Amino acid sequence: EAGVTQFPSHSVIEKGQTVTLRCDPISGHDNLYWYRRVMGKEIKFLLHFVKESKQDESGMPNNRFLAERTGGTYSTLKVQPAELEDSGVYFCASSPRQAKRETQYFGPGTRLLVL
Amino acid sequence: DAKTTQPNSMESNEEEPVHLPCNHSTISGTDYIHWYRQLPSQGPEYVIHGLTSNVNNRMASLAIAEDRKSSTLILHRATLRDAAVYYCILSTTGNQFYFGTGTSLTVIP
């Protein structure tokens, strides 16, 4: 079974540019989560999809971040325009819907550097 | 504003037990305690989780204090492959994960 995949693995962009991160969850997983770790901080929750619906987006830092999950399969996280403080590692995780407090399976992350 | 606190780093000798502590004094009655670990250039990987009772699996044991304000991850025999950053995490009713800052475990051959 393929794990959670993320693309790209690394991205270097200039301040003001747009970047789109992609996450492919494990096949059949309804739940999809985005997290990020910025420099010197702990990993923090951004948002949670159940299929194509946003269940909880309380962690999104501001309106420069837009997440989508059309069709309930893969998800994209767009940052527009990117700022220096957006640099960090963005993780995606997925989980099936059946169990309560189920294990989340994390992807390897996308390392974003904004110059 | 992390909900869990952990030591920044710990060392252990190979083949000896390791006890990784975590404090979560603000835990609510419905929060689960999870432990994940992260190897370089990889995402966090599940280790173990529990609610109130101690838990054992093939990777580790989780000892939860009676008042649930702290927990300890126990690796029974550390190997070099156990060197990683270990995260103590609380999950809420919405299954949102609250990560601690993690403990970097060094295993000494």
Side-chain angles (χ1 to χ4, degrees):
Chain A
E1 179 183 85
V4 176
T5 57
Q6 294 187 244
F7 182 82
S9 59
H10 295 78
S11 181
V12 181
I13 61 172
E14 292 187 351
K15 175 183 173 181
Q17 289 186 323
T18 297
V19 64
T20 300
L21 314 180
R22 173 169 169 147
C23 169
D24 286 79
I26 293 172
S27 177
H29 281 193
D30 287 344
N31 293 294
L32 188 149
Y33 308 83
W34 283 98
Y35 295 84
R36 74 171 182 176
R37 180 175 57 224
V38 296
M39 185 69 72
K41 301 283 190 178
E42 65 270 20
I43 298 171
K44 285 195 172 181
F45 168 83
L46 295 179
L47 87 160
H48 170 205
F49 284 99
V50 177
K51 296 185 179 179
E52 65 276 7
S53 299
K54 291 177 185 174
Q55 183 78 12
D56 180 356
E57 50 184 330
S58 61
M60 294 288 262
N62 53 60
N63 59 10
R64 296 186 293 104
F65 289 75
L66 175 64
E68 295 181 324
R69 193 184 182 195
T70 306
T73 55
Y74 70 91
S75 174
T76 58
L77 179 65
K78 180 190 289 187
V79 185
Q80 179 182 30
E83 298 289 346
L84 299 179
E85 63 264 26
D86 300 331
S87 296
V89 184
Y90 290 76
F91 293 102
C92 174
S94 72
S95 68
R97 191 160 173 75
Q98 293 87 346
K100 281 188 176 181
R101 308 309 173 88
E102 58 242 0
T103 298
Q104 294 185 19
Y105 298 85
F106 283 79
T110 293
R111 283 144 187 82
L112 174 65
L113 179 60
V114 182
L115 300 176
Chain B
D1 58 344
K3 291 193 172 190
T4 67
T5 56
Q6 304 174 248
N8 287 333
S9 62
M10 291 185 65
E11 286 186 353
S12 174
N13 293 319
E14 194 176 9
E15 298 191 1
E16 289 188 356
V18 183
H19 292 234
L20 298 167
C22 180
N23 288 318
H24 27 79
S25 58
T26 61
I27 191 170
S28 74
T30 55
D31 290 348
Y32 274 67
I33 302 158
H34 299 253
W35 283 82
Y36 278 64
R37 70 182 187 182
Q38 185 178 18
L39 300 171
S41 299
Q42 295 187 23
E45 170 193 43
Y46 173 79
V47 177
I48 201 166
H49 78 288
L51 181 61
T52 56
S53 303
N54 294 344
V55 183
N56 298 295
N57 65 23
R58 64 175 180 81
M59 289 183 70
S61 295
L62 175 59
I64 301 173
E66 196 169 334
D67 63 5
R68 301 207 326 125
K69 293 187 175 182
S70 65
S71 62
T72 302
L73 176 70
I74 303 164
L75 306 179
H76 297 288
R77 289 184 63 196
T79 70
L80 297 179
R81 287 177 294 182
D82 292 324
V85 177
Y86 286 79
Y87 292 102
C88 174
I89 298 164
L90 298 185
S91 72
T92 62
T93 51
N95 214 33
Q96 177 183 139
F97 276 16
Y98 289 90
F99 281 77
T101 51
T103 296
S104 179
L105 176 65
T106 300
V107 180
I108 301 168

